[in-house]
Amino acid sequence: RIDRGKMKQALLNLMINAIEAMPDGGRLTLGLEREAHQVRITVADTGPGMPPEVQRKAFELFYSTKEGGTGIGLSIAQNIIQAHGGSLQLTTSPQGTTFIVILPLPEGEEERPEPEASPATRVSKGEEVERTYA
């Protein structure tokens, strides 16, 4: 069972990281896709990407490249996601970074229809939500 509060914190940490990676503005894109036995959530930014040495250490506790950063956000996000049986990966290039959250669906959820959402939050399968920050 998903702890909504903890999962919200994990995703918020990923979004904050993405927004902070774009100090001159850019695009934050959230994606959600339900597959047979899992849910895939993506958080992508159009920042400058991460050099290989930063990418290798990104999930280490207390590692930060930010002035005054605590280095706990990505580590906490990874721990929360793993505690839910999922995984957190990242891909990066000079055009931006994408965090990929994979979470297993509980048994029996594969056959359940997707729940209805309010019109303000309805997103079709595979559809992305974008927000541009200036």
Side-chain angles (χ1 to χ4, degrees), residues 16-93:
I16 289 168
N17 193 78
I19 291 167
E20 289 177 348
M22 304 180 292
D24 298 324
R27 181 175 291 165
L28 171 64
T29 305
L30 305 176
L32 175 64
E33 189 172 341
R34 183 175 173 171
E35 298 171 355
H37 300 284
Q38 64 188 21
V39 174
R40 179 185 187 94
I41 303 165
T42 56
V43 179
D45 66 61
T46 57
M50 293 182 195
E53 64 274 7
V54 173
Q55 186 177 357
R56 281 191 296 275
K57 296 180 177 183
F59 298 111
E60 289 182 16
L61 187 59
F62 304 124
Y63 177 77
S64 179
T65 60
K66 299 172 194 152
E67 180 81 27
T70 60
I72 63 172
L74 293 180
S75 180
I76 287 173
Q78 183 179 51
N79 287 338
I80 290 169
I81 291 162
Q82 288 176 343
H84 285 83
S87 66
L88 177 58
Q89 305 149 5
L90 72 90
T91 61
T92 189
S93 75

Coordinates of all heavy atoms in Angstrom, one line a residue, residues 16-93:
I16 N 11.3 19.8 -6.9 CA 12.1 20.9 -6.4 C 13.5 20.8 -7.0 O 14.1 21.8 -7.5 CB 12.2 20.9 -4.9 CG1 10.9 21.3 -4.3 CG2 13.3 21.8 -4.4 CD1 10.7 21.0 -2.8
N17 N 14.1 19.6 -7.1 CA 15.4 19.5 -7.7 C 15.4 19.9 -9.1 O 16.3 20.6 -9.6 CB 15.9 18.0 -7.6 CG 17.3 17.8 -7.9 OD1 18.2 18.1 -7.1 ND2 17.6 17.3 -9.1
A18 N 14.4 19.5 -9.9 CA 14.3 19.9 -11.3 C 14.1 21.4 -11.5 O 14.8 22.0 -12.3 CB 13.1 19.1 -11.9
I19 N 13.3 22.0 -10.7 CA 13.1 23.5 -10.8 C 14.4 24.2 -10.4 O 14.8 25.1 -11.1 CB 12.0 23.9 -9.9 CG1 10.6 23.4 -10.4 CG2 11.9 25.5 -9.8 CD1 9.5 23.5 -9.5
E20 N 15.1 23.7 -9.4 CA 16.4 24.4 -9.0 C 17.5 24.1 -10.1 O 18.4 24.9 -10.1 CB 16.8 23.9 -7.7 CG 16.0 24.4 -6.5 CD 16.3 23.9 -5.2 OE1 17.1 22.9 -5.1 OE2 15.8 24.4 -4.2
A21 N 17.3 23.1 -10.9 CA 18.3 22.9 -12.0 C 18.1 23.8 -13.2 O 18.9 23.8 -14.1 CB 18.2 21.4 -12.5
M22 N 17.1 24.7 -13.1 CA 16.8 25.6 -14.2 C 16.7 27.0 -13.6 O 15.7 27.7 -13.7 CB 15.4 25.2 -14.8 CG 15.4 23.8 -15.4 SD 13.8 23.4 -16.1 CE 12.6 23.4 -14.7
P23 N 17.8 27.6 -13.1 CA 17.8 28.9 -12.5 C 17.4 30.0 -13.5 O 16.9 31.1 -13.0 CB 19.2 29.1 -12.0 CG 20.0 28.2 -12.8 CD 19.2 27.0 -13.2
D24 N 17.6 29.8 -14.8 CA 17.2 30.8 -15.7 C 15.8 30.5 -16.4 O 15.5 31.1 -17.4 CB 18.3 31.0 -16.8 CG 19.6 31.4 -16.2 OD1 19.6 32.2 -15.3 OD2 20.6 30.9 -16.7
G25 N 15.1 29.6 -15.8 CA 13.8 29.2 -16.3 C 13.9 28.0 -17.2 O 15.0 27.5 -17.5
G26 N 12.8 27.4 -17.6 CA 12.8 26.2 -18.4 C 11.5 25.5 -18.3 O 10.5 26.1 -17.8
R27 N 11.5 24.2 -18.6 CA 10.2 23.5 -18.6 C 10.3 22.3 -17.7 O 11.3 21.5 -17.8 CB 9.9 23.0 -20.0 CG 8.6 22.2 -20.1 CD 8.3 21.8 -21.5 NE 7.9 23.1 -22.2 CZ 7.9 23.2 -23.5 NH1 8.1 22.1 -24.3 NH2 7.5 24.3 -24.1
L28 N 9.4 22.1 -16.8 CA 9.2 21.0 -15.9 C 8.1 20.2 -16.5 O 7.0 20.6 -16.7 CB 8.9 21.4 -14.5 CG 8.5 20.3 -13.5 CD1 9.7 19.4 -13.3 CD2 8.0 20.9 -12.2
T29 N 8.4 18.9 -16.8 CA 7.4 18.0 -17.4 C 7.2 16.8 -16.5 O 8.1 16.1 -16.1 CB 7.8 17.5 -18.8 OG1 8.1 18.7 -19.6 CG2 6.7 16.7 -19.5
L30 N 5.9 16.5 -16.1 CA 5.6 15.4 -15.3 C 4.8 14.4 -16.2 O 3.9 14.8 -17.0 CB 4.7 15.8 -14.2 CG 5.2 16.9 -13.3 CD1 4.1 17.2 -12.2 CD2 6.5 16.5 -12.6
G31 N 5.2 13.1 -16.2 CA 4.5 12.1 -16.9 C 4.1 11.0 -16.0 O 4.7 10.7 -15.0
L32 N 3.0 10.4 -16.4 CA 2.4 9.3 -15.7 C 1.9 8.2 -16.7 O 1.2 8.6 -17.6 CB 1.3 9.7 -14.8 CG 0.5 8.7 -14.0 CD1 1.4 8.0 -13.0 CD2 -0.7 9.3 -13.4
E33 N 2.4 7.0 -16.5 CA 1.9 5.9 -17.4 C 1.7 4.7 -16.6 O 2.5 4.3 -15.8 CB 3.0 5.7 -18.5 CG 2.5 4.7 -19.5 CD 3.5 4.6 -20.7 OE1 4.4 5.5 -20.8 OE2 3.4 3.6 -21.4
R34 N 0.5 4.1 -16.8 CA 0.2 2.8 -16.1 C 0.4 1.7 -17.0 O -0.2 1.7 -18.1 CB -1.3 2.9 -15.6 CG -1.7 1.7 -14.8 CD -3.1 1.9 -14.4 NE -3.6 0.7 -13.8 CZ -4.7 0.6 -13.1 NH1 -5.5 1.7 -13.0 NH2 -5.1 -0.5 -12.6
E35 N 1.3 0.8 -16.6 CA 1.6 -0.4 -17.5 C 1.0 -1.6 -16.8 O 0.3 -1.5 -15.7 CB 3.1 -0.5 -17.6 CG 3.7 0.7 -18.4 CD 5.2 0.7 -18.4 OE1 5.8 -0.1 -17.7 OE2 5.7 1.7 -19.0
A36 N 1.1 -2.8 -17.3 CA 0.5 -4.0 -16.8 C 0.6 -4.2 -15.3 O -0.3 -4.4 -14.6 CB 1.0 -5.2 -17.6
H37 N 1.8 -4.1 -14.8 CA 2.1 -4.4 -13.4 C 2.8 -3.3 -12.7 O 3.2 -3.5 -11.6 CB 2.9 -5.7 -13.3 CG 2.3 -6.9 -13.9 ND1 1.2 -7.6 -13.3 CD2 2.5 -7.5 -15.1 CE1 0.8 -8.6 -14.0 NE2 1.6 -8.6 -15.1
Q38 N 2.8 -2.1 -13.3 CA 3.6 -1.0 -12.6 C 3.1 0.3 -13.1 O 2.4 0.4 -14.1 CB 5.1 -1.2 -12.9 CG 5.4 -1.0 -14.4 CD 6.9 -1.4 -14.6 OE1 7.5 -2.0 -13.8 NE2 7.4 -0.9 -15.7
V39 N 3.5 1.3 -12.4 CA 3.2 2.7 -12.7 C 4.6 3.4 -12.9 O 5.5 3.1 -12.2 CB 2.4 3.4 -11.6 CG1 2.3 4.9 -11.9 CG2 1.1 2.8 -11.4
R40 N 4.7 4.2 -14.0 CA 5.9 4.9 -14.3 C 5.6 6.4 -14.2 O 4.7 6.9 -14.9 CB 6.3 4.5 -15.7 CG 7.6 5.1 -16.2 CD 7.7 4.7 -17.7 NE 9.0 5.2 -18.3 CZ 10.1 4.5 -18.3 NH1 10.1 3.2 -17.8 NH2 11.2 5.0 -18.8
I41 N 6.4 7.0 -13.4 CA 6.2 8.5 -13.2 C 7.5 9.1 -13.7 O 8.6 8.7 -13.2 CB 5.9 8.9 -11.7 CG1 4.7 8.1 -11.2 CG2 5.8 10.4 -11.6 CD1 4.5 8.2 -9.7
T42 N 7.5 10.1 -14.5 CA 8.7 10.8 -14.9 C 8.6 12.3 -14.5 O 7.6 12.9 -14.5 CB 8.9 10.8 -16.4 OG1 7.8 11.3 -17.1 CG2 9.2 9.3 -16.9
V43 N 9.7 12.8 -14.1 CA 9.9 14.2 -13.7 C 11.1 14.7 -14.5 O 12.2 14.3 -14.3 CB 10.2 14.4 -12.2 CG1 10.4 15.9 -11.9 CG2 9.0 13.8 -11.4
A44 N 10.8 15.6 -15.5 CA 11.9 16.0 -16.5 C 12.1 17.5 -16.4 O 11.1 18.2 -16.3 CB 11.6 15.5 -17.9
D45 N 13.3 17.9 -16.6 CA 13.6 19.4 -16.7 C 14.4 19.7 -17.9 O 14.9 18.8 -18.5 CB 14.3 19.9 -15.4 CG 15.7 19.3 -15.2 OD1 16.6 19.5 -16.1 OD2 15.9 18.6 -14.2
T46 N 14.5 20.9 -18.3 CA 15.3 21.4 -19.4 C 16.5 22.1 -19.0 O 17.0 23.0 -19.6 CB 14.4 22.2 -20.4 OG1 13.9 23.3 -19.7 CG2 13.3 21.4 -21.0
G47 N 17.0 21.7 -17.8 CA 18.3 22.3 -17.3 C 19.5 21.8 -18.1 O 19.3 21.1 -19.1
P48 N 20.6 22.1 -17.6 CA 21.9 21.8 -18.4 C 22.3 20.3 -18.2 O 23.3 19.9 -18.8 CB 22.9 22.7 -17.8 CG 22.4 22.9 -16.4 CD 20.9 23.0 -16.5
G49 N 21.6 19.5 -17.5 CA 22.0 18.1 -17.3 C 23.0 18.0 -16.2 O 23.5 19.0 -15.6
M50 N 23.4 16.8 -15.9 CA 24.4 16.5 -14.9 C 25.7 15.9 -15.5 O 25.6 15.0 -16.3 CB 23.9 15.5 -13.9 CG 22.7 15.9 -13.1 SD 22.3 14.5 -11.9 CE 20.7 15.0 -11.4
P51 N 26.8 16.4 -15.1 CA 28.1 15.8 -15.5 C 28.1 14.3 -14.9 O 27.5 14.1 -13.9 CB 29.2 16.6 -14.9 CG 28.5 17.8 -14.3 CD 27.1 17.6 -14.2
P52 N 28.9 13.4 -15.5 CA 28.9 12.0 -15.0 C 29.3 11.9 -13.5 O 28.7 11.1 -12.8 CB 30.0 11.4 -15.9 CG 30.0 12.2 -17.1 CD 29.7 13.6 -16.7
E53 N 30.2 12.7 -13.0 CA 30.6 12.6 -11.6 C 29.5 13.0 -10.7 O 29.3 12.4 -9.6 CB 31.9 13.4 -11.3 CG 31.8 14.9 -11.4 CD 32.0 15.4 -12.9 OE1 32.2 14.6 -13.8 OE2 32.1 16.6 -13.0
V54 N 28.6 14.0 -11.1 CA 27.5 14.4 -10.3 C 26.4 13.3 -10.4 O 25.8 12.9 -9.4 CB 26.9 15.7 -10.8 CG1 25.6 16.1 -10.1 CG2 28.0 16.8 -10.5
Q55 N 26.2 12.8 -11.6 CA 25.2 11.7 -11.8 C 25.5 10.5 -10.9 O 24.6 9.9 -10.3 CB 25.1 11.3 -13.2 CG 24.0 10.3 -13.6 CD 24.0 10.0 -15.0 OE1 24.7 10.5 -15.9 NE2 23.1 9.1 -15.4
R56 N 26.8 10.1 -10.8 CA 27.1 9.0 -10.0 C 26.8 9.2 -8.5 O 26.6 8.2 -7.8 CB 28.6 8.7 -10.1 CG 29.0 7.9 -11.4 CD 30.4 7.4 -11.4 NE 31.4 8.5 -11.4 CZ 31.9 9.1 -12.5 NH1 31.4 8.8 -13.7 NH2 32.8 10.1 -12.4
K57 N 26.9 10.4 -8.0 CA 26.7 10.7 -6.6 C 25.4 11.3 -6.2 O 25.1 11.6 -5.1 CB 27.8 11.7 -6.1 CG 29.2 11.2 -6.2 CD 30.2 12.3 -5.8 CE 31.6 11.8 -5.8 NZ 32.5 12.8 -5.3
A58 N 24.5 11.5 -7.2 CA 23.3 12.2 -7.1 C 22.4 11.7 -5.9 O 21.8 12.5 -5.2 CB 22.5 12.2 -8.4
F59 N 22.4 10.4 -5.7 CA 21.5 9.8 -4.6 C 22.2 9.6 -3.3 O 21.6 9.1 -2.3 CB 20.9 8.5 -5.1 CG 20.0 8.7 -6.3 CD1 20.4 8.2 -7.6 CD2 18.8 9.4 -6.3 CE1 19.6 8.4 -8.7 CE2 18.0 9.6 -7.4 CZ 18.4 9.1 -8.6
E60 N 23.5 10.0 -3.2 CA 24.2 9.9 -1.9 C 23.7 10.9 -0.9 O 23.6 12.1 -1.2 CB 25.7 10.1 -2.2 CG 26.4 8.9 -2.9 CD 27.9 9.1 -3.1 OE1 28.5 10.0 -2.4 OE2 28.5 8.4 -3.9
L61 N 23.5 10.4 0.3 CA 23.1 11.3 1.4 C 24.2 12.4 1.6 O 25.4 12.1 1.7 CB 22.9 10.5 2.7 CG 22.3 11.2 3.8 CD1 20.9 11.8 3.5 CD2 22.1 10.2 5.0
F62 N 23.7 13.6 1.8 CA 24.5 14.8 2.0 C 25.4 15.3 0.8 O 26.2 16.2 1.0 CB 25.4 14.6 3.3 CG 24.6 14.3 4.5 CD1 24.9 13.1 5.2 CD2 23.6 15.0 4.9 CE1 24.2 12.8 6.4 CE2 22.8 14.7 6.1 CZ 23.2 13.6 6.8
Y63 N 25.2 14.7 -0.3 CA 25.9 15.1 -1.5 C 25.1 16.2 -2.2 O 23.9 16.0 -2.5 CB 26.2 14.0 -2.5 CG 26.9 14.5 -3.8 CD1 28.2 14.9 -3.7 CD2 26.1 14.7 -4.9 CE1 28.8 15.4 -4.9 CE2 26.8 15.3 -6.1 CZ 28.1 15.6 -6.0 OH 28.7 16.1 -7.1
S64 N 25.7 17.4 -2.4 CA 24.9 18.5 -3.1 C 25.9 19.3 -3.9 O 27.1 19.5 -3.5 CB 24.3 19.4 -2.0 OG 23.6 20.5 -2.7
T65 N 25.4 19.8 -5.0 CA 26.2 20.8 -5.8 C 25.7 22.2 -5.6 O 26.2 23.1 -6.2 CB 26.1 20.4 -7.3 OG1 24.8 20.5 -7.7 CG2 26.7 19.0 -7.5
K66 N 24.7 22.4 -4.8 CA 24.0 23.7 -4.6 C 24.6 24.4 -3.4 O 24.9 23.8 -2.4 CB 22.5 23.5 -4.4 CG 21.9 22.8 -5.6 CD 20.4 22.5 -5.3 CE 19.9 21.6 -6.3 NZ 18.8 20.8 -5.8
E67 N 24.8 25.7 -3.6 CA 25.2 26.5 -2.5 C 24.2 26.4 -1.3 O 23.0 26.7 -1.5 CB 25.3 28.0 -3.0 CG 25.8 29.0 -1.9 CD 27.3 29.0 -1.7 OE1 28.0 28.7 -2.7 OE2 27.7 29.3 -0.6
G68 N 24.6 26.0 -0.2 CA 23.7 25.9 0.9 C 22.8 24.6 0.9 O 21.9 24.5 1.7
G69 N 23.0 23.8 -0.1 CA 22.2 22.6 -0.2 C 22.5 21.6 0.9 O 23.6 21.5 1.3
T70 N 21.5 20.8 1.3 CA 21.7 19.8 2.3 C 22.1 18.5 1.8 O 22.6 17.6 2.5 CB 20.4 19.6 3.2 OG1 19.4 19.2 2.3 CG2 20.0 21.0 3.9
G71 N 21.7 18.2 0.5 CA 22.0 16.9 -0.1 C 21.2 15.8 0.5 O 21.6 14.6 0.4
I72 N 20.0 16.1 0.9 CA 19.1 15.0 1.4 C 17.9 14.7 0.5 O 17.4 13.6 0.6 CB 18.7 15.2 2.9 CG1 17.8 16.5 3.0 CG2 19.9 15.3 3.8 CD1 17.2 16.7 4.3
G73 N 17.5 15.6 -0.3 CA 16.3 15.5 -1.1 C 16.2 14.2 -2.0 O 15.3 13.5 -1.9
L74 N 17.3 14.0 -2.8 CA 17.2 12.9 -3.7 C 17.4 11.6 -3.0 O 16.8 10.6 -3.3 CB 18.3 13.0 -4.8 CG 18.1 14.2 -5.8 CD1 19.2 14.2 -6.8 CD2 16.7 14.0 -6.5
S75 N 18.2 11.6 -1.9 CA 18.4 10.4 -1.1 C 17.1 10.0 -0.4 O 16.7 8.8 -0.4 CB 19.5 10.6 -0.1 OG 19.7 9.5 0.7
I76 N 16.4 10.9 0.1 CA 15.1 10.7 0.8 C 14.1 10.2 -0.3 O 13.4 9.2 0.0 CB 14.6 11.9 1.5 CG1 15.4 12.2 2.8 CG2 13.1 11.8 1.8 CD1 15.1 13.5 3.5
A77 N 14.1 10.8 -1.4 CA 13.2 10.3 -2.5 C 13.4 8.9 -2.8 O 12.5 8.1 -2.9 CB 13.3 11.3 -3.7
Q78 N 14.7 8.6 -3.0 CA 15.1 7.2 -3.4 C 14.7 6.2 -2.3 O 14.1 5.1 -2.6 CB 16.6 7.1 -3.7 CG 17.0 5.7 -4.2 CD 18.5 5.7 -4.5 OE1 19.3 6.0 -3.6 NE2 18.8 5.2 -5.6
N79 N 14.9 6.6 -1.1 CA 14.6 5.7 0.1 C 13.1 5.4 0.1 O 12.6 4.3 0.4 CB 15.1 6.2 1.4 CG 16.6 6.1 1.5 OD1 17.2 5.3 0.8 ND2 17.2 6.9 2.4
I80 N 12.3 6.5 0.0 CA 10.8 6.3 0.0 C 10.3 5.4 -1.1 O 9.5 4.5 -0.9 CB 10.1 7.7 0.0 CG1 10.4 8.5 1.3 CG2 8.6 7.6 -0.3 CD1 10.0 10.0 1.2
I81 N 10.8 5.7 -2.3 CA 10.4 4.9 -3.5 C 10.8 3.4 -3.3 O 10.0 2.5 -3.5 CB 11.0 5.5 -4.7 CG1 10.2 6.9 -5.0 CG2 10.8 4.6 -5.9 CD1 10.9 7.8 -5.9
Q82 N 12.0 3.2 -2.8 CA 12.5 1.8 -2.6 C 11.7 1.1 -1.5 O 11.4 -0.1 -1.6 CB 14.0 1.8 -2.3 CG 14.8 2.1 -3.5 CD 16.3 2.1 -3.2 OE1 16.7 2.3 -2.1 NE2 17.1 2.1 -4.3
A83 N 11.3 1.9 -0.5 CA 10.5 1.3 0.6 C 9.1 0.9 0.1 O 8.5 0.0 0.7 CB 10.3 2.3 1.7
H84 N 8.7 1.4 -1.0 CA 7.4 1.0 -1.6 C 7.6 0.0 -2.7 O 6.7 -0.3 -3.5 CB 6.7 2.3 -2.2 CG 6.1 3.2 -1.2 ND1 6.8 4.1 -0.5 CD2 4.8 3.2 -0.7 CE1 6.0 4.7 0.4 NE2 4.8 4.2 0.3
G85 N 8.8 -0.6 -2.8 CA 9.1 -1.7 -3.7 C 9.4 -1.2 -5.1 O 9.4 -2.0 -6.1
G86 N 9.7 0.1 -5.2 CA 10.0 0.7 -6.5 C 11.4 1.0 -6.7 O 12.3 0.7 -5.9
S87 N 11.7 1.7 -7.8 CA 13.0 2.1 -8.2 C 13.0 3.6 -8.7 O 12.0 4.0 -9.2 CB 13.6 1.2 -9.2 OG 13.0 1.3 -10.4
L88 N 14.1 4.2 -8.5 CA 14.3 5.6 -9.0 C 15.6 5.6 -9.8 O 16.7 5.2 -9.4 CB 14.4 6.6 -7.8 CG 14.7 8.0 -8.1 CD1 13.7 8.6 -9.0 CD2 14.9 8.9 -6.9
Q89 N 15.4 6.0 -11.1 CA 16.6 6.1 -12.0 C 16.6 7.5 -12.5 O 15.7 8.3 -12.4 CB 16.4 5.1 -13.1 CG 16.2 3.7 -12.7 CD 15.3 2.9 -13.6 OE1 14.9 3.4 -14.7 NE2 14.9 1.7 -13.2
L90 N 17.7 7.8 -13.2 CA 17.8 9.1 -13.9 C 18.5 9.0 -15.2 O 19.4 8.1 -15.3 CB 18.4 10.2 -13.0 CG 19.9 10.2 -12.7 CD1 20.7 11.0 -13.7 CD2 20.2 10.8 -11.3
T91 N 18.1 9.8 -16.1 CA 18.9 9.9 -17.4 C 19.1 11.4 -17.5 O 18.4 12.3 -17.1 CB 18.0 9.4 -18.6 OG1 16.8 10.2 -18.7 CG2 17.7 8.0 -18.4
T92 N 20.3 11.7 -18.1 CA 20.6 13.1 -18.2 C 21.4 13.4 -19.5 O 22.1 12.5 -20.1 CB 21.5 13.6 -17.0 OG1 21.6 15.0 -17.0 CG2 22.8 12.9 -16.9
S93 N 21.3 14.6 -20.0 CA 22.0 15.0 -21.2 C 22.1 16.5 -21.1 O 21.5 17.1 -20.2 CB 21.2 14.6 -22.5 OG 20.1 15.5 -22.6

